[in-house]
Amino acid sequence: MRSTLRTKLFHPEILLLALALSLVSCKTTDSPKAKVQPPPQATAPTITAPTPKPAKAEPASAPPQTDAVELLISRVDKEYDAGQANYAAGHLEAAKANFDNAFDMLLESPLDVHTDDRLRQEFDKIVEGVHSLELLALKQGDGFAQQQAEPAPIDEANSVTFPVDPNIKAKAEAEVKSTRSDLPLVLNDEVAGYINYFSSRGRGYLERALVRSGRYRDMILRIFKQEGLPQDLIYLAEAESGFHPLALSHAGARGMWQFMASRGSGYGLVRNWWEDDRQDPEKSTRAAARHLKDLFNQFGDWYLAMAAYNSGPGNVQQAVQRTGYADFWELYRRNVLPKETKNYVPIILAVAIMAKNPEQYGLDHLVLDPPLETDTVSIDYPVDLRLAAECVDSSVSDLQDINPSLLRMTTPRQGKFDLHLPAGTAGKFQQAITAIPVDKRVWWRYHKVEDGETVAEIARQYHTTARAIKEVNNLESGDVEADAKLIIPVTPGKREREAAAGLTFAKRPSYYRVRKGDTILSVADDFGVPADRLRRWNGLKGNTLRAGARLKIYKPAAGSERAAERPAAKKSGKSSKDKTLEAAKKSRILHKVKPGETLTSIASHYNTTVTALRRDNRVGDSLRAGDVLVVEKP
């Protein structure tokens, strides 16, 4: 229960439907269609936002004497107040830590939160309070809603042990003798075992990584040459992350070069609420090159430098001092290195040998991705990526792909940021963004008019008014020509409703039997549905649930709005009762995450997919030991 809340509490999908603001569209007059040219600098129209309702005061009720419950509530309130103070000061990471601590105090206490009325009220108060702050954060740039990470491939490779195939080893030995490399290449049983793995179970990963390497290969080799590193150290990134900037390991290492936060900071990689330079391909490559060079200077051996890159120089130094051997394979045989570090060097060597001999391993048919080419504009204001994408007629996903260091949908609120744009679009961006007031660039949007659309219809789509759209675009009529580009003055707070409009639900319900400790909010979080919808489906009020009760749940449809576009399935001719019985045959398993487990290993254990686990749990790939996952097993 505790871990589920920690991993799910800050998901905005549950909150977005809570906003129900509406603005009345003004009548439009019939007149000839106008060709729209955005003004040099649009001014904000007069849009009156609804007056927020005053917060409902908590009823004052104190027990006659100080007891353990009151002491716990006092401690929890102190932590929650600290979170609110940090939030108000803009220290959002610290605020999130405070809120997590407040929940931990309640849920890890020997006192039962779910049977004591005062503790249950305290729990509900914090849940609702944090949710309200989440809404405010959403209005200021997508709040706590963080980008989704990718599992680090090195985690899975480290978790397997493959036998040595004599045929593969014999061929590899022959290849290594004629392979030119600026790294020493060794072929032994440990390396041969991983060549066998990447030739079979891990082949898909290896091929995808090689294809993706084309995007960054030129940049990496250029930086390695500048820093004086062996060029073949590029295969370290292939083994670590598959050249994916969003790779996240179970230990918390991020990016293409899998930096831990503290180590990255030591090499100048910035990490804050808005961005993480560990996920910036060029910045992290420069940092990795300098770190590897420092490690080589310390140990005088590239194998030991790679081992130290994985586990830290302290661990390797201690192993050398304990044994008296500054040799990786001797340390391997004496078992004085962590298991992951022992596997790390053989994995990299196996990848390097196979990548440098593509014909031998059937990899010569692969076509590498073209080098990534972008324009870069330096900005000193926050801008929503959706607006930026509309400025250059690109997609949000493309912009996110070339700006992987951005953790949220908005560029940093303060300071300068180098925004990457599709090649050749920098001028187009500068021209379009100039028409949007600086303080509106996280709110306002551009809209390309489709044939037959009117200003009134567009206003309803964005939950603003026709008058506001006409005012910022200097329009006199409500009709515009197709392909015209309109500035849309979205009122702060409307974005949540706009996003929520894309959430659709399954036509047939699923049923869940309430367990002890469940609440409306925890079950809603588990299934990724809004709490108010869950109450409505079951005719409930409040947050408490009776153990054993049967809840009706309409799960979010896969792909939400995309799911609605799929053709309806053919009727099977089965009765509703038969279909319900078939649905009931599915067992809902709760899996408690063990140390070292990843979504990939859990999916394999239950014969399901990582995509299904993400969908059913609304989680990224960063798992903590103790997290509880829902597994829908046929």
Side-chain angles (χ1 to χ4, degrees):
M1 175 68 180
R2 175 187 69 82
S3 299
T4 301
L5 279 168
R6 289 185 62 170
T7 57
K8 302 178 184 297
L9 178 63
F10 300 99
H11 281 203
E13 292 94 334
I14 303 172
L15 310 172
L16 300 176
L17 294 177
L19 296 180
L21 306 177
S22 62
L23 293 171
V24 179
S25 299
C26 298
K27 292 183 178 179
T28 59
T29 57
D30 293 330
S31 61
K33 295 183 178 181
K35 185 76 174 180
V36 178
Q37 294 293 336
Q41 172 69 64
T43 56
T46 304
I47 303 176
T48 305
T51 304
K53 296 180 180 179
K56 189 174 181 180
E58 292 288 332
S61 58
Q65 60 181 15
T66 302
D67 56 16
V69 171
E70 281 300 300
L71 288 174
L72 176 59
I73 290 175
S74 176
R75 290 174 54 228
V76 170
D77 277 342
K78 184 177 180 180
E79 191 70 26
Y80 176 63
D81 290 343
Q84 288 185 310
N86 274 322
Y87 182 93
H91 305 149
L92 301 183
E93 290 282 7
K96 185 176 183 296
N98 290 134
F99 296 144
D100 277 348
N101 289 340
F103 282 109
D104 286 347
M105 289 178 187
L106 282 170
L107 297 174
E108 294 177 353
S109 165
L111 301 171
D112 192 342
V113 173
H114 307 292
T115 58
D116 186 285
D117 287 341
R118 286 173 291 165
L119 290 179
R120 189 168 61 247
Q121 288 176 9
E122 178 75 2
F123 181 85
D124 290 347
K125 181 187 78 173
I126 292 178
V127 168
E128 296 300 333
V130 174
H131 280 191
S132 67
L133 291 179
E134 165 67 350
L135 289 178
L136 290 174
L138 280 166
K139 294 179 183 180
Q140 298 173 22
D142 285 329
F144 298 134
Q146 197 165 354
Q147 76 183 179
Q148 292 295 309
E150 292 288 331
I154 194 74
D155 283 346
E156 181 172 347
N158 254 319
S159 67
V160 300
T161 302
F162 253 68
V164 177
D165 185 315
N167 293 328
I168 289 179
K169 183 179 179 182
K171 291 180 180 179
E173 285 176 334
E175 291 291 339
V176 167
K177 291 177 182 178
S178 60
T179 300
R180 297 183 61 183
S181 174
D182 52 8
L183 274 179
L185 296 181
V186 171
L187 197 288
N188 52 26
D189 284 354
E190 289 75 25
V191 176
Y194 277 108
I195 290 178
N196 189 15
Y197 167 72
F198 287 118
S199 297
S200 51
R201 176 175 163 183
R203 185 175 184 85
Y205 154 71
L206 180 67
E207 291 186 350
R208 289 191 297 272
L210 284 171
V211 169
R212 191 175 180 83
S213 70
R215 295 165 62 94
Y216 307 109
R217 184 178 182 84
D218 291 349
M219 177 270 293
I220 293 172
L221 296 182
R222 168 176 54 82
I223 290 177
F224 278 10
K225 184 176 181 180
Q226 293 170 352
E227 297 293 338
L229 260 66
Q231 299 279 280
D232 285 345
L233 279 175
I234 189 174
Y235 298 113
L236 187 150
E238 181 154 345
E240 285 266 23
S241 66
F243 296 99
H244 207 303
L246 301 185
L248 175 65
S249 77
H250 71 274
R254 276 188 183 271
M256 203 155 62
W257 297 96
Q258 289 291 282
F259 272 102
M260 296 297 289
S262 56
R263 185 72 63 189
S265 297
Y267 284 88
L269 298 180
V270 173
R271 174 176 173 266
N272 55 41
W273 181 254
W274 306 102
E275 60 180 318
D276 192 332
D277 283 347
R278 292 178 295 169
Q279 298 180 175
D280 183 289
E282 186 151 356
K283 290 180 180 178
S284 65
T285 297
R286 181 75 65 181
R290 292 175 177 173
H291 184 33
L292 284 164
K293 186 163 62 174
D294 287 345
L295 293 172
F296 179 77
N297 291 336
Q298 179 178 348
F299 293 102
D301 178 89
W302 281 117
Y303 288 179
L304 291 179
M306 287 189 282
Y309 188 94
N310 174 255
S311 66
N315 283 331
V316 175
Q317 188 64 51
Q318 288 177 6
V320 170
Q321 291 173 349
R322 283 172 58 192
T323 63
Y325 289 95
D327 177 83
F328 172 78
W329 298 112
E330 189 64 35
L331 300 180
Y332 187 107
R333 284 188 288 273
R334 291 172 179 264
N335 201 30
V336 290
L337 292 172
K339 179 184 176 182
E340 287 190 359
T341 306
K342 287 177 63 178
N343 295 340
Y344 187 76
V345 173
I347 288 172
I348 294 170
L349 292 178
V351 169
I353 290 169
M354 295 179 73
K356 293 181 74 68
N357 296 281
E359 298 88 356
Q360 170 76 17
Y361 298 100
L363 302 171
D364 50 328
H365 68 285
L366 300 179
V367 178
L368 304 191
D369 286 344
L372 190 63
E373 296 181 357
T374 63
D375 284 359
T376 303
V377 294
S378 182
I379 59 176
D380 57 2
Y381 51 81
V383 62
D384 189 297
L385 286 188
R386 284 160 284 203
L387 174 62
E390 289 157 356
C391 286
V392 296
D393 295 319
S394 180
S395 69
V396 175
S397 60
D398 284 348
L399 240 58
Q400 289 177 311
D401 191 39
I402 59 179
N403 292 279
S405 67
L406 280 178
L407 300 179
R408 287 167 172 80
M409 196 65 78
T410 308
T411 61
R413 309 291 278 183
Q414 295 179 336
K416 290 187 177 181
F417 180 78
D418 288 336
L419 178 65
H420 300 294
L421 300 167
T425 64
K428 191 175 185 180
F429 171 82
Q430 296 287 22
Q431 182 179 3
I433 202 68
T434 300
I436 309 295
V438 174
D439 62 337
K440 305 297 182 185
R441 292 174 184 175
V442 294
W443 295 114
W444 288 13
R445 302 284 296 276
Y446 269 107
H447 176 84
K448 192 172 184 179
V449 179
E450 296 182 4
D451 189 32
E453 276 189 317
T454 66
V455 172
E457 292 169 340
I458 296 168
R460 285 193 294 272
Q461 179 180 340
Y462 288 93
H463 307 289
T464 185
T465 66
R467 178 180 297 172
I469 293 176
K470 288 191 287 186
E471 186 174 337
V472 298
N473 290 279
N474 295 329
L475 295 175
E476 294 184 358
S477 75
D479 295 325
V480 285
E481 288 186 356
D483 295 329
K485 212 168 186 179
L486 291 178
I487 297 172
I488 309 297
V490 180
T491 306
K494 301 303 181 190
R495 180 191 298 162
E496 293 77 30
R497 186 173 173 181
E498 174 190 336
L503 185 60
T504 58
F505 300 94
K507 293 182 179 179
R508 298 186 182 90
S510 299
Y511 294 92
Y512 171 67
R513 187 72 64 181
V514 175
R515 302 166 186 265
K516 183 180 178 182
D518 283 344
T519 65
I520 285 287
L521 291 171
S522 69
V523 174
D525 278 342
D526 279 345
F527 287 93
V529 299
D532 64 329
R533 289 287 187 113
L534 186 59
R535 293 187 185 99
R536 190 188 316 162
W537 292 331
N538 293 277
L540 299 172
K541 295 181 179 179
N543 190 43
T544 58
L545 290 172
R546 177 176 56 83
R550 189 166 178 256
L551 291 183
K552 181 191 296 183
I553 299 172
Y554 293 86
K555 295 181 181 179
S560 287
E561 66 269 25
R562 292 193 300 274
E565 298 170 3
R566 292 200 295 258
K570 289 184 178 180
K571 294 183 179 180
S572 64
K574 296 177 182 178
S575 68
S576 298
K577 182 178 180 180
D578 290 336
K579 293 174 183 177
T580 302
L581 288 173
E582 284 183 359
K585 290 178 182 178
K586 280 193 172 184
S587 57
R588 180 174 182 267
I589 299 171
L590 297 180
H591 175 85
K592 189 172 184 180
V593 178
K594 301 178 183 65
E597 283 190 316
T598 65
L599 283 181
T600 301
S601 64
I602 295 169
S604 176
H605 177 75
Y606 288 105
N607 195 28
T608 184
T609 64
V610 171
T611 300
L613 289 178
R614 287 199 192 106
R615 181 193 65 230
D616 294 336
N617 293 276
R618 301 291 179 179
V619 295
D621 293 288
S622 178
L623 299 179
R624 302 180 188 179
D627 286 352
V628 178
L629 299 181
V630 176
V631 182
E632 294 286 0
K633 185 179 179 182

